[in-house]
C-alpha cells in the first residue's frame, strides 16, 4: 500500500475511477458538480490521503476540523482487496480518532454499501434522516467517540 498526501489535482486524475455510489453521494451533498465537491473537501481537510494498492489508485480518505471523516474508493479495492481495504481503513480510523477524539459526518442514505461498512468499522449510524438544504437528498449522521477521551 502506498499512501501520499492528497492534492486537488488528484481529483482530475482519479475521480472517474471512484465507485458510482461515491460519486452519487458527492452529487447529493451539494449543488455544485461532484468533482468540485471532492476537490473542495480535499482543500479544506487537514488530513487527506490518496491511496494506491499494487501500483493502482484505490481511493481517498481524510478527516478535517471537528473530526469530519470522509472516504471514497474504487469498486475493485472493495471487491477484490477486501482485507487490505479493511486494514487500511482501521489504521486511518484509529489515527483520526486519536487525533480528534470523535469522528462524525453525514452519509447519503442511498449509499447502503458504505453504511454497512461504517457500521462494521464500529461507527454508530443514527436512524434520524436529515434533508440536505441544497439538494433535498436524505442523509444519516454517523459518529464514533474515543473511549479514552
Amino acid at each position: 500500500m502506498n499512501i501520499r498526501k492528497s492534492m486537488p489535482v488528484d481529483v482530475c486524475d482519479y475521480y472517474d475511477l471512484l465507485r458510482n455510489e461515491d460519486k452519487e453521494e458527492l452529487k447529493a451533498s451539494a449543488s455544485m458538480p461532484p468533482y468540485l465537491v471532492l476537490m473542495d473537501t480535499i482543500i479544506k481537510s487537514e488530513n487527506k490521503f490518496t491511496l494506491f494498492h499494487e501500483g493502482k489508485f484505490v481511493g481517498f480518505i481524510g478527516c478535517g476540523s471537528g473530526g469530519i471523516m470522509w472516504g471514497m474508493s474504487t469498486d475493485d479495492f472493495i471487491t477484490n482487496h477486501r482485507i487490505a481495504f479493511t486494514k487500511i481503513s482501521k489504521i486511518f480510523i484509529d489515527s483520526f480518532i486519536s487525533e480528534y477524539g470523535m469522528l462524525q459526518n453525514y452519509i447519503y442514505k442511498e449509499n447502503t454499501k458504505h453504511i454497512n461498512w461504517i457500521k462494521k468499522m464500529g461507527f454508530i449510524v443514527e436512524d434520524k434522516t436529515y434533508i440536505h438544504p441544497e439538494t433535498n437528498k436524505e442523509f444519516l449522521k454517523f459518529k464514533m467517540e474515543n473511549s479514552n477521551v
Side-chain angles (χ1 to χ4, degrees):
M1 181 73 70
N2 292 324
I3 301 165
R4 68 167 169 77
K5 194 154 192 134
S6 296
M7 301 174 287
V9 70
D10 290 343
V11 176
C12 301
D13 293 339
Y14 304 118
Y15 176 80
D16 288 340
L17 302 174
L18 293 172
R19 293 180 332 118
N20 286 332
E21 295 90 343
D22 289 337
K23 290 188 256 188
E24 287 298 316
E25 182 161 337
L26 288 166
K27 189 178 188 179
S29 69
S31 58
M32 65 179 142
Y35 68 91
L36 290 178
V37 176
L38 178 55
M39 196 174 289
D40 188 56
T41 300
I42 287 172
I43 290 167
K44 290 179 178 174
S45 294
E46 298 158 356
N47 293 294
K48 59 260 185 150
F49 302 95
T50 302
L51 312 174
F52 300 88
H53 182 67
E54 298 176 351
K56 295 189 307 189
F57 168 79
V58 294
F60 297 108
I61 193 165
C63 196
S65 181
I68 305 298
M69 185 177 170
W70 57 272
M72 12 203 107
S73 65
T74 63
D75 279 318
D76 178 66
F77 193 43
I78 291 174
T79 305
N80 299 321
H81 305 282
R82 188 173 293 257
I83 293 171
F85 175 73
T86 302
K87 283 182 181 178
I88 197 66
S89 298
K90 182 78 171 119
I91 288 168
F92 276 105
I93 290 168
D94 290 348
S95 174
F96 292 155
I97 198 139
S98 176
E99 182 173 345
Y100 294 97
M102 180 178 76
L103 302 176
Q104 61 183 331
N105 208 337
Y106 293 87
I107 186 164
Y108 185 38
K109 196 171 180 179
E110 301 293 319
N111 198 346
T112 55
K113 187 181 273 189
H114 197 172
I115 291 169
N116 290 333
W117 173 79
I118 62 175
K119 286 179 179 178
K120 286 179 185 172
M121 297 306 294
F123 286 88
I124 295 167
V125 178
E126 295 180 1
D127 292 330
K128 181 179 177 186
T129 299
Y130 295 86
I131 305 298
H132 193 284
E134 292 178 26
T135 63
N136 290 322
K137 300 291 184 179
E138 296 180 333
F139 283 79
L140 301 171
K141 186 173 185 177
F142 67 91
K143 65 182 177 179
M144 177 187 287
E145 295 184 32
N146 186 343
S147 58
N148 297 324
V149 174

